[in-house]
Each structure stands twice: as C-alpha cells, then as structure tokens.
C-alpha cells in the first residue's frame, strides 16, 4: 500500500474521538463547556494520537434533547461560543493535523425552528411541506417509538396547524420531509456550508429513520437511497476525501444497503458495527471469545471505499437490542444489576470501566481488542482515562458528564463555582480526584498511557485497519486470535477473555520457520515451526499483538510496557 493511497483514504485507519463541546472544557468560566475551552485542550487530543474529532451538535438549540433539537443549522449556540470560535477551533485542529467531522442532525428540527413555526402557522406556508402532516394519525408501529418511556405515538396533534405532525423522536422534534426536493436542497446547503468552514465529513444521526416512508402518499416517494447517493456525490465533488459516518443499527444484511446498492459503495462511507459491539459485551460477560469471533466471521465485507467503524461505548445508552432476550438478560445481570442502570429495557447507561468492575486488566484488554479488530475505532471522550458515569443524572445523560482534567475544582473542567456546572461529575472511585488526565499523564501504568501506546501501534499497523482478516481457529474458547494481511505483511493478535492463563497454538498459512513473531505491545519473540505454527501464551485477560517477519527485518521488542 502506497503512503499516498493511505493518505487519500485517511478514514480507513483513523482514530475518531467524539466529544461534546458543552461538557469538554469551559474556557470562559461560566460553567458551560465552549469552543475556547476545547481549543485549550487540543494538545491532549493530539498526544493521544487521535486523527479525527467528531463534534456532537453545537448548533443553536432550546436544548431539550442535548442539542439534537436544532433551531438554526448555520450557526453556533451562543453558550458554546461564536462562529469565529468555531473557525479558530478548526484552524488549531488543522495545525495539529487533526480532521474534524460533526453531527448532521437532519432527521428533524426543534419545534422552535423558524421553518416549523412558519409551517404550522398556515397550510399555505412555504415550509408546510417541509414537515410531515396528516389529518388523522396513521396507525403506530409500537416498535417504532424511539423513547417508549416518554412517547407513545409517532404523531402529535398541533392546535395551530390543525393537523397531526410526524415525529420519530420526541414530540418537540418534528421530522423533516426528506422526500421534498426543497428539503434535500437545504440539507445539501448545510453540508456545503460546514465543509467550506473546514469539516471533513459528517456523522449522520438516525440513518434508517432519515429516509423512511411514513407519509400517507408514499407512492410518490423517490428511492430513499438516492438521497444518500446524492449527498455523498455532492460531498465528494467538494472534497474527495470527505466522509459520511452513519448510525445504522440494523442486521448486517439490511445494513449493507446503506453503503450503496449493488455493492457500489456510493452512499454511507462508514457504518458503526453495532452487532460486533454487542457481541463483544456478550463475550466479556461469558469469558468466552466465541460470540465476538462469530460476529467477525459473519460480518460481510463492506464495498470498496467503505469501512466499518468499531466502538465499545458512545454517547447513548449501550444498546443491546441485537442480542436475544436471554443474552441481553445475561449482560444486564452482570453489567447492570440494578434497574436504575438500565434504559428502555434494551440498554445500559453506564461506561465500560464501571461495568467491568474497575478491573484494569480487563479494561485494557477490551481496548486492545477495539484497536486490533478490523475497522476504524471510535472513542467517546473520557474513555482514554476510564471515566465512569453518574447515575444520579437522568437517562442517557448519565455518561455525558464533564471531562475530568485535574483532581481539583470541578475536575479542571471549569473555574465557575460548582453550582454553575450543570452536569455533576461522579463522586467516589470515579470522581475527578481518582480519575483525571493530569494524574494519568504522570503514571506510566495508567490507562491513558496504555491507550496512547495502543493507538501508536494501531497507526503503525495498517494491516489491522485495512487488511484482509481471518479469525484463527484456536483450542481455547476464551481466546480470540486473528491475523490481518496487507501487501505481504502480517500482524497477528490474541486476546484472552478469561481470568486465567491461556495457551493457544495458531497456524499461519503461508508462513514457515523462516519467520518470527515479535510482540509489539508487551514483550517476547516467538519462533514459527516449519508448518507455520506458533504457541502463544496469554496471562489472565491478557492481550498480545505480533508482527510477523524474518528475524533480520523484525522490529525491536517492546520494553515490557504493561
Ligand atoms: Mg463557557
């Protein structure tokens, strides 16, 4: 693989880091995070090795759904800064070689958006057909309600309009009518605007909902996939390397369509692997690698110029909707034993370290796996230091507490008096006194150092992100071993899900005793037999990454970092 190709397809071995400006760092001391604060901490993001920042919504909003209810797609919420601050943030990121993408939330607007206010005011409004109206509510599919504890219908009566309007999410978030060409034109304008200001792409919220057929007159709807094709085509005319990162939580066979029909790969560039993520948790609970190994074997290859995005946690609840009822119950019992830790009967509102009982070995192994498995890893801010959640905060927001920078006032997030900080940090073992960036920077055994070194190795092993991969057969069900190959170079990894030692023998086809396996994460060199067999020893919850090479071209062994 030529370096120039790797640069063009930068997203295939990117490290994406999702952050919310509102909770990352407060630069003006008013208790609310802002762009100035984030600018001051961009060196932390650079040191970690992140290559792409994903910004959660920062647009003007009444903030009834954490910024996902937008009233102006062309500006910055005044609490978070100005458009000028945004441009400065982009400049500082670019200076560090870091790309930036942002949430594109165009499934719906806030009901306070001027478009909706105008639309509801009269049937003759220019904006009336920008939303979805009906004289009588269409029959609801109960599975279609996203927040079943708070909404019972997809249709809301509007007195002013004298009609029902459609809302997939909350009733204050009317869905935009994406079958209207004017709406589609406007969405393209929104993309163009932010790309002009330097964005390298967008994370597309709620993809399947964005293009669903809901109107009574669905006969005249264009193919929903044309919508994404048009978006991708527009975006790549402006910038050939820009991406769409899609939230598409569907079974693999249905999801493939969103990469583009007929395997063309001309729609969503990267889709999150929700199934692999959920199986990872099942594997962690069972101390058994097979659920994840099966998912990796079943997972179809995305079309050329498309890719999987992998993750362990994100800003939402940990959804377990693709597991069977019994499997989900197993994960609930182990990782969310109290009812208050669960959400909507399908997810968990906790972060990874608390679910794993703070067991550092297990946490480090889980992240090693995230970077080793094929796909582009996406981190949620705070994962790099093992932040916990605050269950006193309602709903999904439990995992959206402010970033913990220091052990001091407000965890270094803000200089405001603590009562001004809207979202309280966790207390106790996961409070900023115990978990923060500045202490971990000084501790070579910290999670922060571990993550930094994993990212460094991942970036040096394009085989992992780009290559062909094969889950290797091993005797021990607790161990996941896989190889990744690219241009004649091979990397092998092994992960032990059990709290005991494990030894596995792997056979590497096409390799013989002229090759050695050099551990690039911990230490040790293994010799292959004539048949390409290697015996790998793993400590409890251990993980190892090896580069396969001749002894003459082997890299230096790691110096025993843990
Ligand atoms: Mg502020």
């Amino acid at each position: 693989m030529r370096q120039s190709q790797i640069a063009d397809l930068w997203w295939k071995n990117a490290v994406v880091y999702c952050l919310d400006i509102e909770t990352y760092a407060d630069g003006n001391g008013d208790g609310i995070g802002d762009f100035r604060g984030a600018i001051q901490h961009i060196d932390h993001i650079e040191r970690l090795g992140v290559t792409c920042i994903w910004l959660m919504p920062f647009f003007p909003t009444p903030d009834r759904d954490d910024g996902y209810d937008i009233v102006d797609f062309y500006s910055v919420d005044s609490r978070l800064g100005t458009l000028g601050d945004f441009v400065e943030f982009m400049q500082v990121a670019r200076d560090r070689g870091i790309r930036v993408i942002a949430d594109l939330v165009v499934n719906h607007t806030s009901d306070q958006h001027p478009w909706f206010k105008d639309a509801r005011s009269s049937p003759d409004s220019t904006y009336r057909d920008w939303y979805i109206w009906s004289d009588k509510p269409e029959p609801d599919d109960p599975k279609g309600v996203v927040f079943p504890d708070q909404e019972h219908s997809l249709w809301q009566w509007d007195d002013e309009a004298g009609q029902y309007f459609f809302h997939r999410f909350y009733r204050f978030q009317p869905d935009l009518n994406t079958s209207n060409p004017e709406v589609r034109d406007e969405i393209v304008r929104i993309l163009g605007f932010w790309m002009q200001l330097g964005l390298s792409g967008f994370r597309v919220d709620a993809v399947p909902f964005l293009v669903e057929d809901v109107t009574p007159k669905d006969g005249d709807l264009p193919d929903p996939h044309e919508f994404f094709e048009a978006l991708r085509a527009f975006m790549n005319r402006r910038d050939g390397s820009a991406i769409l990162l899609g939230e598409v939580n569907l079974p693999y066979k249905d999801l493939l369509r969103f990469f583009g029909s007929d395997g063309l790969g001309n729609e969503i560039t990267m889709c999150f692997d929700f199934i692999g993520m959920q199986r990872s948790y099942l594997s962690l609970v069972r101390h058994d690698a097979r659920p994840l190994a099966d998912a990796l074997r079943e997972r179809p290859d995305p079309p050329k110029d498309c890719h999987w995005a992998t993750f362990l946690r994100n800003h939402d609840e940990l959804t377990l909707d693709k597991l069977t009822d019994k499997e989900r119950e197993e994960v609930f019992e182990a990782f969310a034993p109290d009812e208050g830790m669960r959400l909507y009967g399908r997810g968990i509102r906790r972060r990874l370290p608390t679910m794993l009982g703070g067991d550092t070995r297990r946490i480090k192994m889980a992240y090693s796996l995230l970077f080793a498995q094929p796909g582009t890893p996406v981190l949620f801010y705070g994962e790099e230091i093992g932040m916990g959640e605050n269950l006193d905060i309602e709903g999904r927001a439990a995992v959206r507490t402010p970033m913990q920078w220091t052990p001091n006032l407000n965890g270094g997030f803000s200089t405001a008096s603590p009562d001004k900080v809207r979202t309280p940090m966790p207390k106790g073992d996961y409070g900023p006194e115990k978990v923060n960036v500045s202490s971990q920077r000084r501790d070579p055994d910290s999670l922060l150092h571990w993550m930094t070194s994993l990212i460094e190795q991942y970036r040096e092993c394009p085989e992992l992100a780009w290559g062909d991969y094969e889950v290797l057969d091993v005797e021990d069900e607790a161990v996941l071993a896989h190889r990744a190959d690219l241009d004649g170079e091979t990397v092998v990894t092994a992960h032990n899900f059990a709290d005991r030692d494990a030894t596995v023998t792997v056979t590497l086809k096409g390799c013989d005793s002229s090759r050695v396996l050099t551990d690039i994460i911990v230490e040790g060199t293994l010799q292959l037999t004539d048949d390409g067999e290697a015996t790998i020893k793993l400590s409890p919850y251990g993980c190892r990454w090896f580069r396969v090479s001749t002894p003459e071209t082997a890299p230096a062994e790691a110096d025993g970092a843990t």
Side-chain angles (χ1 to χ4, degrees):
M1 187 61 55
R2 294 197 307 277
Q3 287 298 323
S4 62
Q5 277 172 295
I6 293 181
D8 285 346
L9 299 173
W10 61 272
W11 39 274
K12 279 204 176 187
N13 71 334
V15 178
V16 182
Y17 183 86
C18 169
L19 70 87
D20 187 355
I21 291 292
E22 189 177 343
T23 53
Y24 202 61
D26 173 18
N28 65 355
D30 65 354
I32 301 169
D34 44 48
F35 276 102
R36 289 189 192 181
I39 289 169
Q40 288 160 14
H41 287 287
I42 220 143
D43 289 330
H44 163 72
I45 300 172
E46 186 197 15
R47 270 194 302 268
L48 185 58
V50 168
T51 63
C52 177
I53 296 170
W54 153 21
L55 294 176
M56 284 169 67
F58 50 81
F59 313 99
T61 172
D63 214 15
R64 294 180 68 190
D65 181 22
D66 212 10
Y68 285 87
D69 47 332
I70 293 168
V71 293
D72 179 1
F73 290 103
Y74 296 100
S75 188
V76 170
D77 192 284
S78 59
R79 297 167 310 134
L80 311 183
T82 64
L83 210 46
D85 293 335
F86 171 84
V87 170
E88 200 174 312
F89 175 84
M90 296 300 295
Q91 173 58 27
V92 174
R94 178 184 301 179
D95 181 54
R96 307 298 197 278
I98 300 174
R99 292 172 186 265
V100 182
I101 64 174
D103 254 285
L104 179 71
V105 190
V106 291
N107 177 70
H108 50 259
T109 67
S110 160
D111 62 359
Q112 299 306 305
H113 196 293
W115 301 338
F116 188 72
K117 285 185 173 174
D118 198 290
R120 80 198 322 182
S121 71
S122 157
D124 301 326
S125 157
T126 329
Y127 294 103
R128 186 71 162 199
D129 195 38
W130 284 40
Y131 296 88
I132 301 162
W133 303 93
S134 181
D135 288 330
K136 56 177 196 322
E138 305 295 316
D140 282 330
D141 171 2
K143 292 199 297 292
V145 179
V146 176
F147 304 118
D149 59 331
Q150 294 175 52
E151 297 291 350
H152 304 289
S153 171
L154 303 173
W155 294 89
Q156 174 67 30
W157 174 257
D158 190 67
D159 270 340
E160 199 183 336
Q163 275 190 307
Y164 290 88
F165 65 83
F166 180 82
H167 63 93
R168 172 60 75 178
F169 293 87
Y170 295 109
R171 68 187 67 180
F172 52 82
Q173 290 165 322
D175 271 42
L176 280 166
N177 178 11
T178 48
S179 66
N180 179 342
E182 284 180 27
V183 171
R184 293 181 175 213
D185 283 353
E186 188 68 28
I187 291 173
V188 163
R189 256 193 297 278
I190 295 167
L191 256 72
F193 177 82
W194 292 105
M195 288 179 75
Q196 204 66 36
L197 294 183
L199 286 189
S200 295
F202 302 87
R203 177 261 185 181
V204 194
D205 193 44
V207 167
F209 298 142
L210 192 57
V211 291
E212 68 196 338
D213 289 1
V214 289
T215 54
K217 38 178 187 186
D218 57 357
D220 49 1
L221 280 183
D223 178 353
H225 290 275
E226 283 174 16
F227 174 67
F228 285 116
E229 252 180 72
L231 273 192
R232 173 88 176 263
F234 165 81
M235 205 179 62
N236 286 156
R237 282 197 300 276
R238 288 279 167 97
D239 172 0
S241 71
I243 61 159
L244 294 174
L245 171 61
E247 182 190 25
V248 192
N249 183 8
L250 293 175
Y252 286 136
K253 65 176 171 34
D254 302 322
L255 185 154
L256 271 187
R257 281 279 286 125
F258 287 90
F259 285 126
S261 38
D262 305 321
L264 282 176
N266 57 354
E267 295 182 27
I268 304 290
T269 325
M270 289 203 287
C271 289
F272 286 105
D273 180 7
F274 278 92
I275 294 170
M277 179 279 287
Q278 299 184 34
R279 299 279 189 82
S280 301
Y281 281 92
L282 193 59
S283 277
L284 286 165
V285 164
R286 291 184 176 170
H287 299 94
D288 181 342
R290 289 174 299 180
L292 176 59
D294 291 345
L296 288 173
R297 286 189 173 113
E298 284 161 29
R299 193 172 75 170
D301 286 333
K304 188 175 170 289
D305 292 352
C306 290
H307 208 35
W308 292 106
T310 54
F311 66 110
L312 282 168
R313 284 299 286 119
N314 64 15
H315 57 290
D316 287 332
E317 75 276 10
L318 164 65
T319 181
L320 300 168
D321 65 335
K322 295 291 180 287
L323 300 181
T324 66
D325 292 348
K326 194 174 151 290
E327 291 168 344
R328 183 163 45 252
E329 208 44 50
E330 273 182 76
V331 180
F332 273 156
E333 267 174 37
F335 292 163
D338 300 337
E339 195 56 43
M341 299 169 173
R342 306 174 190 178
L343 205 58
Y344 313 131
R346 64 166 186 238
I348 299 179
R349 51 192 213 101
R350 307 183 79 188
R351 281 179 177 257
L352 179 102
T354 54
M355 285 190 271
L356 297 184
D359 187 332
T360 311
R361 300 166 306 166
R362 228 172 157 192
I363 296 164
K364 288 182 173 178
M365 188 277 282
Y367 283 107
S368 164
L369 196 58
L370 174 68
F371 288 100
Q373 65 184 281
T376 295
V378 181
L379 291 171
F380 181 47
Y381 76 90
E383 284 195 281
E384 72 272 33
I385 53 170
M387 268 168 54
E389 68 283 345
N390 183 354
L391 290 170
D392 294 339
I393 302 169
E394 215 181 305
R396 303 188 288 181
V399 301
R400 300 180 187 176
T401 55
M403 183 67 180
Q404 298 171 186
W405 297 103
T406 72
N408 303 314
L409 176 71
N410 299 318
F413 163 71
S414 173
T415 55
S417 76
D419 59 304
K420 289 240 174 65
V421 176
R422 205 173 73 160
T423 326
M425 293 176 187
K427 295 190 171 66
D429 286 349
Y430 292 92
E433 303 78 14
K434 297 277 175 63
V435 177
N436 66 75
V437 173
S438 68
S439 306
Q440 291 199 18
R441 279 187 69 191
R442 284 163 181 74
D443 174 5
D445 292 327
S446 67
L447 187 60
L448 181 60
H449 274 262
W450 176 248
M451 296 282 247
T452 308
S453 97
L454 286 175
I455 290 175
E456 197 176 280
Q457 291 302 335
Y458 159 83
R459 294 282 295 165
E460 286 181 11
C461 297
E463 295 86 356
L464 291 175
W466 278 73
D468 296 325
Y469 72 94
E470 183 192 351
V471 178
L472 298 168
D473 292 326
V474 289
E475 297 281 302
D476 190 330
E477 64 206 26
V479 176
L480 179 76
H482 93 287
R483 69 182 282 177
D485 292 272
L486 183 73
D487 289 345
E489 299 284 339
T490 304
V491 172
V492 174
T493 80
H495 292 80
N496 179 9
F497 284 79
D499 189 10
R500 57 165 168 79
D501 291 323
T503 302
V504 292
T505 301
V506 296
T507 306
L508 302 176
K509 283 190 215 96
C511 296
D512 59 28
S513 56
S514 67
R515 304 296 186 97
V516 292
L517 267 59
T518 308
D519 192 318
I520 50 179
I521 293 281
V522 191
E523 58 188 335
T525 301
L526 306 179
Q527 183 67 47
L528 281 173
T529 66
D530 283 342
D531 301 327
E533 282 184 359
T535 300
I536 300 173
K537 287 185 170 29
L538 292 153
S539 55
Y541 299 124
C543 51
R544 305 186 71 176
W545 297 15
F546 300 97
R547 178 161 287 289
V548 182
S549 69
T550 60
E552 294 76 30
T553 58
E557 275 183 33
D559 57 2
T562 50

